[in-house]
Amino acid sequence: MASKLNVRHASQVACRDCSLSPLCLPLALKIEDIDELDEIIKRGRPLKKGEHLFLEGDSFHSVFAVRSGALKTYTSTNEGEEQITGFYLPSELVGLSGLDTDSYPVSAQAIETTMVCEIPFDKLEKLSDNHPSLRRQLMRIMSKKIREDQQMKLLLSKKNADERIATFLINLASRFRRRGFSSQSFRLSMSRNEMGNYLGLAVETVSRVFTRFQKAELIHANGKEIEITNAMELCILAGGKLADNADVVNIQ
Amino acid sequence: MASKLNVRHASQVACRDCSLSPLCLPLALKIEDIDELDEIIKRGRPLKKGEHLFLEGDSFHSVFAVRSGALKTYTSTNEGEEQITGFYLPSELVGLSGLDTDSYPVSAQAIETTMVCEIPFDKLEKLSDNHPSLRRQLMRIMSKKIREDQQMKLLLSKKNADERIATFLINLASRFRRRGFSSQSFRLSMSRNEMGNYLGLAVETVSRVFTRFQKAELIHANGKEIEITNAMELCILAGGKLADNADVVNIQ
DNA sequence: CGTTGCGTTGAGACATTTCAAAATGTGTGG
DNA sequence: CCACACATTTTGAAATGTCTCAACGCAACG
C-alpha cells in the first residue's frame, strides 16, 4: 500500500497547485513570485524504497523538498555502522547541511516510495538575491533545524527508552497533523531498527517499549500501524516543552 | 588567572584590527566593508563568570560573537535540570538558533570572564541585504552548526564514555589550534560537571575517564589544565572523521 | 579554621545491550 | 497462489557500562 501521503499529488504538480506550499518554500513567496521558484525546480521520477537521493561525499548541488513518501539521512561511523540523523516527511527540506561544504555530509535514502522536488542551490541563491523573504525562510528553516537538533541532543543525553519513544511518537503525530493527517493513527514509514538507530536504542529495546506501551494502553501498535490511545499520558512521558505537544493533545 | 584567549585583545578593538576577523563574520567582507559591520556592533562591558548574556525566552534581538573568554548555552528540562547545548570560544557566534522565533530557545552564560560583540540582528539583516557574501557566511555558519550537531548526536547515541571524552578533548584541541593556541596543552574553561552534562555522562564518569586516560598516558590532567600526551591514540579513540582530527595529530 | 564548592574514588543498583532463539511478516519464483 | 527463503520483530536470560549514592580529599575563601 502506498503511503497516505501520496494520494493527493499528481506526479508533476506545480508549486502553486501543490497542497504542501503553505508548509514548504513557497510559503516565503508572493503568489505571483511562486512561478519563478517553480521554474528552477526539477521533478524527477519517484524513488523506490532503498534508492538514494544522494550519498555522503557527493558534490553538493541541490536541496530537495520531499513531496510524498519519506526519506532518512544518515552518516556512516568509521566502524561502518550507520547513524540515522533524521527522517523527512512531505514539505520538509533535505540537504541544507551540505551548504557550507562542497559535498553532502550525509546520505539521503528513500524509506518508502518517494517523490522529491530538486532545487539547484545556485539557482535558489540567485532567486533569493531578489527575494529577501525567501532568504529569511531559508534561514528560518536552518534555525529550526538547529533547535530540533538541540531537542534531540537532550533526548539522547537525558531521556530513558520510554521517554525517547514517547517523544518520537508525539513528534511524528504532530508533524502528521500539520500536514492534515490524523495525529491519532498513522503508519510508521521506518522500521523498528531505523527507529532504534535514530533514537540511540537497540532494536530489542524499541520492541520492548512498544509492547510495554501497548500493555499500558498508551498506544495500539500493529506492525507499522500506530494508534495513539492516550495522547495526554504519552505527552507527559515525552516530557517535552508543552508548545510542541499542544496540538497533539488538544485536537484529534 | 584570565584565559589565555584574553591577552591579545584590548577592550574596544575594531573588527578591522581584531585578530579574530579571519575566523569571524568579517571573513565574509572586503576590507573596505568591514567598517560597516563595525558600526552596528555593540561592545559592552565584560561578563563575569556566571553572568548571563541572555535567558531562554528573552526576546530575540541580537547574535553575539565571543571575543574573549567562553560561554555555554543551555536549556532547562521540565524537571528543572539544565542541558548544556554548546560551548563557545572566541570568534564563534551565539544566538543564531533563535533566529526563526521571537525568543531565544536557550540561555547563554559566561563560564569565565568573557567579552562579546553584540550584533543587532535587524541591522545585520539590512547589512546583509547589500552583501551577498555576508549572507552566505551566515548560512555557512548555520550549516556548519547543523553538521556539528549531527556529530554530537552520533556521539550521544553510539559512543561510550571513553570515546565521548576523547572526542571532546580532540575537538577542543582543534578549535584552540585554529585560534593560534597550542592544541597540545590548554586550559578547560568548563567544570567536570558541565563537561559531563554536555556529553551525557555523570560527573563521576568524567572523573573516572580522566583518571583512566592519565594512567594510559594519553593525557596529563591537573585540574583544568590539560596536556595531550598521545594525540594519535586519542584521535583513534575519538574515532571521528579524520578530517576533523588531522590538524591535531599532525602539527604540534 | 570552619565552610563551601569541586573533584575523586568505591560499591552496589539498574537500565539497556548483547546474544540466542522463536515467531511473524514479506517478497519471489515456480 | 502457494512454498520457500529471507528479513524483521518479538521475547527471554545473561552480561555490562554507566549511574547513583556516599564518603573523602583538596583548594579557595571569608
Side-chain angles (χ1 to χ4, degrees):
Chain A
M1 185 185 105
S3 159
K4 289 174 187 174
L5 295 170
N6 258 321
V7 295
R8 39 159 83 176
H9 305 292
S11 68
Q12 291 293 331
V13 77
C15 283
R16 57 184 316 145
D17 301 321
C18 177
S19 64
L20 294 172
S21 65
L23 298 165
C24 192
L25 274 183
L27 158 64
L29 296 171
K30 296 199 201 77
I31 294 180
E32 58 266 31
D33 295 330
I34 289 186
D35 290 340
E36 281 187 69
L37 174 63
D38 216 57
E39 274 164 31
I40 69 172
I41 289 181
K42 298 195 256 178
R43 300 182 177 79
R45 59 172 179 75
L47 282 86
K48 278 180 295 201
K49 179 175 172 167
E51 278 189 282
H52 279 90
L53 192 53
F54 51 80
L55 289 170
E56 188 172 348
D58 280 0
S59 72
F60 171 74
H61 50 89
S62 296
V63 299
F64 301 84
V66 178
R67 202 126 71 86
S68 64
L71 293 170
K72 70 176 176 189
T73 52
Y74 65 91
T75 41
S76 301
T77 67
N78 36 344
E79 287 92 45
E81 32 174 12
E82 77 178 34
Q83 163 69 38
I84 296 175
T85 56
F87 297 108
Y88 294 83
L89 300 184
S91 87
E92 294 174 340
L93 237 50
V94 193
L96 277 172
S97 58
L99 198 146
D100 71 320
T101 56
D102 41 358
S103 60
Y104 294 102
V106 293
S107 303
Q109 187 180 23
I111 55 177
E112 58 184 13
T113 304
T114 296
M115 306 244 314
V116 297
C117 298
E118 174 171 359
I119 309 154
F121 191 67
D122 52 348
K123 290 184 183 144
L124 182 61
E125 267 198 323
K126 251 180 236 141
L127 184 61
S128 69
D129 280 345
N130 305 319
H131 295 283
S133 61
L134 181 59
R135 220 148 64 211
R136 266 147 221 177
Q137 170 76 346
L138 278 171
M139 297 272 271
R140 269 198 299 273
I141 290 173
M142 296 179 72
S143 162
K144 179 149 177 269
K145 174 78 175 151
I146 293 174
R147 276 185 300 114
E148 286 167 353
D149 281 351
Q150 267 164 18
Q151 291 302 310
M152 196 61 196
K153 288 194 284 181
L154 190 150
L155 177 146
L156 290 170
S157 78
K158 292 267 187 300
K159 294 185 179 179
N160 65 23
D162 286 8
E163 292 164 345
R164 290 182 199 197
I165 305 270
T167 306
F168 183 73
L169 291 176
I170 292 298
N171 175 269
L172 266 188
S174 140
R175 282 153 82 189
F176 279 124
R177 236 200 74 70
R178 219 169 312 148
R179 280 159 192 79
F181 297 101
S182 170
S183 62
Q184 203 176 178
S185 84
F186 47 86
R187 186 170 195 283
L188 299 171
S189 42
M190 69 292 296
S191 68
R192 300 281 191 273
N193 205 332
E194 289 167 327
M195 212 185 302
N197 181 305
Y198 178 64
L199 295 174
L201 298 170
V203 203
E204 295 93 329
T205 307
V206 175
S207 186
R208 279 184 254 265
V209 173
F210 267 77
T211 324
R212 223 179 299 152
F213 279 7
Q214 188 128 267
K215 280 186 184 141
E217 302 202 321
L218 297 177
I219 62 169
H220 184 80
N222 181 11
K224 291 191 159 50
E225 295 292 340
I226 300 287
E227 190 184 348
I228 297 181
T229 49
N230 190 342
M232 187 52 113
E233 198 57 42
L234 210 57
C235 282
I236 292 170
L237 241 183
K241 300 294 157 67
L242 277 179
D244 297 342
N245 303 336
D247 49 347
V248 179
V249 181
N250 297 329
I251 317 153
Q252 298 199 335
Chain B
M1 185 186 105
S3 159
K4 290 175 186 172
L5 294 170
N6 257 323
V7 295
R8 39 159 82 177
H9 305 293
S11 69
Q12 291 293 332
V13 76
C15 283
R16 57 183 317 145
D17 302 320
C18 176
S19 64
L20 294 171
S21 65
L23 297 165
C24 192
L25 274 183
L27 157 66
L29 295 171
K30 298 199 199 77
I31 293 180
E32 59 266 31
D33 296 330
I34 288 186
D35 289 341
E36 282 187 68
L37 175 63
D38 216 58
E39 272 163 35
I40 69 172
I41 288 182
K42 298 194 258 177
R43 299 180 178 81
R45 59 171 179 75
L47 281 86
K48 278 180 295 204
K49 178 173 174 171
E51 277 189 281
H52 280 89
L53 192 54
F54 50 79
L55 289 170
E56 188 172 349
D58 280 1
S59 72
F60 171 74
H61 51 88
S62 296
V63 298
F64 300 84
V66 178
R67 203 128 70 87
S68 65
L71 293 171
K72 70 175 177 190
T73 52
Y74 66 91
T75 41
S76 300
T77 68
N78 34 345
E79 286 93 44
E81 31 173 14
E82 76 177 34
Q83 164 68 38
I84 296 176
T85 56
F87 296 108
Y88 295 83
L89 301 184
S91 87
E92 294 174 340
L93 236 50
V94 193
L96 277 171
S97 59
L99 197 146
D100 71 320
T101 56
D102 41 357
S103 61
Y104 294 102
V106 293
S107 303
Q109 187 179 23
I111 54 176
E112 57 184 13
T113 304
T114 297
M115 305 245 312
V116 298
C117 298
E118 174 171 359
I119 309 154
F121 191 68
D122 52 349
K123 291 187 183 140
L124 181 62
E125 268 198 322
K126 251 180 236 141
L127 184 60
S128 69
D129 280 345
N130 305 321
H131 295 284
S133 62
L134 180 59
R135 222 146 65 209
R136 266 148 220 174
Q137 171 75 347
L138 277 171
M139 297 272 271
R140 269 198 299 275
I141 289 172
M142 296 180 71
S143 162
K144 179 149 178 269
K145 173 79 177 151
I146 292 174
R147 276 185 300 114
E148 286 167 353
D149 281 351
Q150 267 164 16
Q151 291 302 310
M152 196 60 198
K153 289 193 284 182
L154 190 150
L155 176 146
L156 290 170
S157 78
K158 292 268 188 301
K159 294 185 179 178
N160 64 23
D162 286 7
E163 292 164 345
R164 290 182 199 198
I165 304 270
T167 306
F168 182 73
L169 291 176
I170 292 297
N171 174 271
L172 267 187
S174 142
R175 281 154 81 189
F176 280 124
R177 237 201 73 69
R178 220 169 312 149
R179 280 160 191 77
F181 297 100
S182 169
S183 62
Q184 204 176 179
S185 85
F186 48 87
R187 186 171 195 282
L188 299 170
S189 42
M190 69 291 297
S191 68
R192 300 282 192 273
N193 205 331
E194 288 167 327
M195 210 185 301
N197 182 304
Y198 178 64
L199 295 173
L201 298 170
V203 203
E204 295 93 329
T205 307
V206 176
S207 186
R208 279 184 255 265
V209 173
F210 267 77
T211 321
R212 224 179 299 150
F213 278 7
Q214 188 129 264
K215 280 186 183 141
E217 302 201 323
L218 298 177
I219 63 170
H220 184 79
N222 180 11
K224 290 190 160 48
E225 294 292 340
I226 300 288
E227 191 183 348
I228 297 182
T229 48
N230 189 341
M232 186 53 112
E233 199 56 44
L234 210 56
C235 281
I236 292 170
L237 242 183
K241 299 294 158 63
L242 277 179
D244 297 343
N245 304 335
D247 50 346
V248 179
V249 181
N250 297 330
I251 317 153
Q252 297 198 334

